[in-house]
């Protein structure tokens, strides 16, 4: 946010502004008195502004020159409020408030300039707020109407080939736009501050589906471990102090233990409010959740947070798996991350494993877990149950793999 409104002092008798001066600010009188008049001299149309009152407020609406004069009657102190100050605050206001204020100020501005001319900044505020409001409604309707679904992508213990867990990835079957991938709506949900409704939806689905997935796993103990589910959590979730308790209570509805759930966060959360996020993550850890850093190595330049946050899992970004065999330094870089993880006592999951050759290389480097199209894409709950029952800890069927990747 810009610097706060500045205080301006005026001696008794001096002019604050005259007719035709550029209008740079509205004034709130803090002390003293100011008189307003059409030409700065005529006593007939004088109006007086006292402490707590405002004048020159048309400067908030637009930058048309002054059409009156303001003179300090006594020594006075004024707070100068600019259009930028107001605009910045409206930008972060509740969308409904932003829409109403934007539309009202736009209307006043249009009346001032006689209706024609370019759109004002207020038009832009009203339009942006309208987009947020309609997206919020669409998302709320989508969740309530069963249009969102959770897909599950397998995570495999590389050495043994056993199935260890899944990452939960959301999809939106939109009535007008068709099947939406997370990239089509998650960034917007984060930008508009409504991502928590998606996270709550995911946790509810985990509570609903994990028991059945674990039951399927217990019928195939030779190839499947006690399954965990990994859920993507946003920085905005972690800014809510009650997030850990909220997550626990949702999972309890399905008798799911936090110990079986991992929360994936990206390094970018540290750019929001690292201390508050760290506190929430500590509460999550205390409740039994394990915390994973997602897309490790792509975002933040400092490694300090590996000590500062209660992390127990590193997920290496898929670009590292791609570079592993394709670039000379690929193996060196991933090897360094694996050593770092081991020395810090962290579990490492390599994302984006697409070929048997990559899986072999990762196994030879003692990487714990792999996730990627080689082991299968994210799929619906029913298909996931089938996958668990059919999982074999030995080699994968290349034909099936090709099919799954399509
Ligand atoms: P992510 O957490 O890094 O998820 C992994 C993404 O990589 C998934 O894309 C997955 O389909 C894709 N992927 C998996 N294996 C491979 C592979 O072998 N090769 C390649 N090229 N890609 C692979 P998806 O499902 O489109 O998700 C994209 C991103 O959307 C996720 O990235 C995550 O950041 C976000 N996301 C997904 N679901 C949720 C959610 O429920 N909540 C939040 N906050 N974010 C979510
Ligand atoms: Ca993830
Ligand atoms: Ca990732």
């Amino acid at each position: 946010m810009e610097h706060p409104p500045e205080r301006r002092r005026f001696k008794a008798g001096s002019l604050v502004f005259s007719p035709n001066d550029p209008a740079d600010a509205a004034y709130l009188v803090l002390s003293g008195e100011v008189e307003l008049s059409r030409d700065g001299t005529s006593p007939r149309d004088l109006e007086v502004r006292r402490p707590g009152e405002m004048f020159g407020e048309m400067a908030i609406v637009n930058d048309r020159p002054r059409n009156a004069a303001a003179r300090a009657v006594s020594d006075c102190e004024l707070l100068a409020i600019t259009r930028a100050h107001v605009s910045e605050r409206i930008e972060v206001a509740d969308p409904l408030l932003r829409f109403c204020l934007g539309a009202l100020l736009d209307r006043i501005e249009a009346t001032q300039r006689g209706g024609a001319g370019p759109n004002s900044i207020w038009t832009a505020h009203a339009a942006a707020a309208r987009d947020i409001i309609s997206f919020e409604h669409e998302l709320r309707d989508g969740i309530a109407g069963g249009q969102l679904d959770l897909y599950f992508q397998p995570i495999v213990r590389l050495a043994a080939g056993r199935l260890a867990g899944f990452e939960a990835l959301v999809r939106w079957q939109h009535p007008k736009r068709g099947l939406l991938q997370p990239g089509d709506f998650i960034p917007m949900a984060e930008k508009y501050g409504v991502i928590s409704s998606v996270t709550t939806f995911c946790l509810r689905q985990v509570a609903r589906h994990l028991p059945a997935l674990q039951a399927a796993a217990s019928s195939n103990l030779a190839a499947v471990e006690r399954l965990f589910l990994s859920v993507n959590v946003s920085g905005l979730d972690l800014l809510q102090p009650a997030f850990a308790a909220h997550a626990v209570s949702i999972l309890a509805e399905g008798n799911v233990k936090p110990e079986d759930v991992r929360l994936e966060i990206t390094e970018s959360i540290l750019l929001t409010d690292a201390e508050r996020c760290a506190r929430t993550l500590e509460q999550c850890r205390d409740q039994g959740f394990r915390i994973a850093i997602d897309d490790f190595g792509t975002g933040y330049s400092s490694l300090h947070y590996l000590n500062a946050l209660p992390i127990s899992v590193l997920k290496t970004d898929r670009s590292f798996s791609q570079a592993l065999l394709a670039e000379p330094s690929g193996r060196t870089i991933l090897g360094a991350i694996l050593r770092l993880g081991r020395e810090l006592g962290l579990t490492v999951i390599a994302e984006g494993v697409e070929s048997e050759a990559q899986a072999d290389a990762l196994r030879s480097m003692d990487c714990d877990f792999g996730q990627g199209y080689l082991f299968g894409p994210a799929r619906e709950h029913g298909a996931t149950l089938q996958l668990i029952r059919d999982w074999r800890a030995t080699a994968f069927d290349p034909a099936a793999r090709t099919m799954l990747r399509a």
Side-chain angles (χ1 to χ4, degrees):
M1 199 168 276
E2 211 201 53
H3 48 82
E6 70 182 46
R7 284 159 190 262
R8 294 182 189 168
R9 289 187 177 80
F10 294 86
K11 287 271 176 223
S14 64
L15 278 166
V16 180
F17 54 73
S18 309
N20 298 320
D21 277 359
D24 69 333
Y27 292 98
L28 169 66
V29 182
L30 297 174
S31 66
E33 281 184 5
V34 173
E35 59 183 26
L36 307 173
S37 62
R38 283 263 162 241
D39 61 6
T41 54
S42 161
R44 269 177 295 132
D45 56 0
L46 279 186
E47 284 182 35
V48 177
R49 295 286 183 270
R50 300 187 171 82
E53 294 180 330
M54 185 164 77
F55 65 94
E57 60 271 12
M58 277 305 157
I60 290 177
V61 178
N62 59 30
D63 59 1
R64 288 160 70 90
R66 303 287 187 190
N67 61 2
R71 184 188 300 279
V73 180
S74 53
D75 286 357
C76 60
E77 194 179 24
L78 309 173
L79 194 67
I81 305 165
T82 64
R83 222 150 24 109
H85 289 134
V86 177
S87 178
E88 275 175 4
R89 282 156 178 81
I90 291 184
E91 191 173 340
V92 296
D94 168 79
L96 207 64
L97 195 60
R98 187 179 180 196
F99 175 73
C100 294
L101 278 176
L104 283 170
L105 286 163
D106 196 37
R107 187 91 25 111
I108 299 171
E109 207 281 321
T111 314
Q112 278 262 306
R113 67 174 144 77
N119 288 346
S120 72
I121 53 165
W122 311 118
T123 324
H125 274 298
R130 200 183 44 230
D131 287 351
I132 297 174
I133 293 166
S134 54
F135 178 78
E136 263 179 21
H137 275 276
E138 250 184 274
L139 184 62
R140 195 175 310 146
D141 289 351
I143 292 173
Q147 296 163 17
L148 268 70
D149 201 3
L150 216 50
Y151 279 41
F152 303 95
Q153 184 175 36
I155 297 173
V156 175
R157 191 180 288 275
L158 286 169
R162 281 158 63 94
L163 190 54
F166 292 89
E167 176 172 359
L169 295 158
V170 72
R171 303 286 182 266
W172 185 353
Q173 187 65 55
H174 194 281
K176 293 194 195 111
R177 296 164 62 198
L179 183 66
L180 301 185
Q181 301 298 318
D184 301 324
F185 63 97
I186 293 287
M188 223 189 289
E190 289 193 332
K191 181 171 154 209
Y192 292 169
V194 292
I195 188 70
S196 295
S197 59
V198 177
T199 309
T200 298
F201 165 81
C202 290
L203 290 167
R204 289 224 164 90
Q205 295 298 104
V206 167
R208 187 168 152 216
H209 291 311
L210 183 54
L213 300 181
Q214 284 178 332
S218 59
S219 71
N220 186 7
L221 289 173
V224 184
E225 304 183 352
R226 182 180 176 87
L227 293 172
F228 64 82
L229 277 185
S230 229
V231 176
N232 291 284
V233 164
S234 140
L236 287 178
D237 294 311
L238 301 179
L239 291 178
Q240 297 171 13
F243 175 76
H246 171 69
V248 169
S249 77
I250 293 175
L251 294 175
E253 289 166 21
N255 289 323
V256 167
K257 294 197 193 80
E259 286 76 6
D260 291 332
V261 176
R262 293 182 181 180
L263 306 177
E264 295 193 7
I265 56 168
T266 57
E267 294 161 290
S268 62
I269 64 137
L270 299 157
L271 301 175
T272 48
D273 183 340
E275 272 178 34
R276 260 165 86 190
C277 290
R279 271 200 298 280
T280 309
L281 286 174
E282 273 155 22
Q283 290 165 1
C284 291
R285 188 256 333 263
D286 295 345
Q287 293 280 5
F289 292 104
R290 296 187 79 191
I291 316 292
I293 285 280
D294 203 359
D295 305 337
F296 179 74
T298 57
Y300 200 59
S301 54
S302 157
L303 293 177
H304 168 71
Y305 71 85
L306 291 176
N307 273 330
L309 297 179
I311 296 160
S312 53
V313 181
L314 283 189
K315 295 188 77 173
T316 59
D317 186 66
R318 61 172 170 265
S319 57
F320 294 109
S321 299
Q322 268 143 32
L324 181 57
L325 303 173
E327 290 168 26
S329 57
R331 199 182 167 95
T332 313
I333 293 173
L334 199 51
I337 298 177
L338 289 168
R339 267 197 307 284
L340 176 73
R342 251 194 310 276
E343 290 189 11
L344 291 172
L346 307 173
T347 301
V348 179
I349 301 176
E351 288 196 297
V353 184
E354 295 183 356
S355 71
E356 199 64 74
Q358 288 168 346
D360 279 342
L362 288 162
R363 264 182 219 114
S364 74
M365 295 162 81
D366 288 332
C367 178
D368 310 304
F369 296 93
Q371 175 183 349
Y373 294 157
L374 173 67
F375 308 113
R379 63 195 89 193
E380 290 160 285
H381 174 67
T384 303
L385 285 174
Q386 199 56 48
L387 181 89
I388 296 169
R389 292 189 198 107
D390 295 347
W391 193 265
R392 296 293 169 263
T394 47
F396 305 97
D397 176 359
R401 222 178 289 141
T402 316
M403 203 178 68
L404 292 173
R405 209 177 305 159

